Amino acid sequence: MVKKNNPWYADGLHFECVQCGRCCAGPGEGFIWVSRTEIEFIANHLKQTISQLRRNFLRRVGLRTTIIEHPATKDCIFLQEKAGQRTCMIYHVRPNQCRNWPFWPNNLESLNTWNQAARKCPGINRGRLYSCEEIEQIKKTKKWW
Ligand code: SF4
Ligand code: SF4
């Protein structure tokens, strides 16, 4: 039962990733923001210096930094095909933004925006039930480490 002042998802939302990789893929262009600490984690993981990582995989947008995409497909540069499955090359150190999907503020604005996100992500509206409290927690997490 949705009480007054509670969000529309007060009774929780279902989500279970089916590992399709679509949220990391084009065709639309996007931004995969990384903080300074996340850049250090990724550089260490790939055994690169921060300068190498910036040169090879990152770009500046104003004051912020995003992971680059393949020029043709617009897939995240770290999305790779392995044994017929699309996986993240930096999964263990993937940025906060990737970890919080699909519980992003813009997806959670309304049932309509949530169901729009479900058109891209087949994991939405299936599987595990996340409580409203869990969703709020994930939504506001800025540092996964
Ligand atoms: S689109 Fe959804 S189901 Fe597919 S990998 Fe991303 S989170 Fe998982
Ligand atoms: S960093 Fe990994 S999880 Fe995030 S968009 Fe790229 S491939 Fe997907």
Side-chain angles (χ1 to χ4, degrees), residues 20-65:
C20 67
R22 283 173 69 183
C23 56
C24 311
E29 219 167 346
F31 299 105
I32 310 140
W33 302 115
V34 279
S35 67
R36 193 177 296 186
T37 308
E38 287 172 328
I39 291 171
E40 285 172 14
F41 279 129
I42 298 167
N44 284 339
H45 181 76
L46 296 176
K47 298 187 175 31
Q48 296 197 354
T49 65
I50 288 176
S51 311
Q52 286 170 328
L53 184 79
R54 282 192 178 279
R55 205 165 43 247
N56 296 330
F57 298 114
L58 306 178
R59 75 182 166 95
R60 296 297 291 260
V61 181
L63 295 175
R64 304 176 77 185
T65 303

Side-chain angles (χ1 to χ4, degrees), residues 24 32 67 76 78-79 88 90 94-95 98:
C24 311
I32 310 140
I67 295 170
C76 173
F78 293 129
L79 185 65
C88 173
I90 57 162
R94 68 199 186 285
C98 307

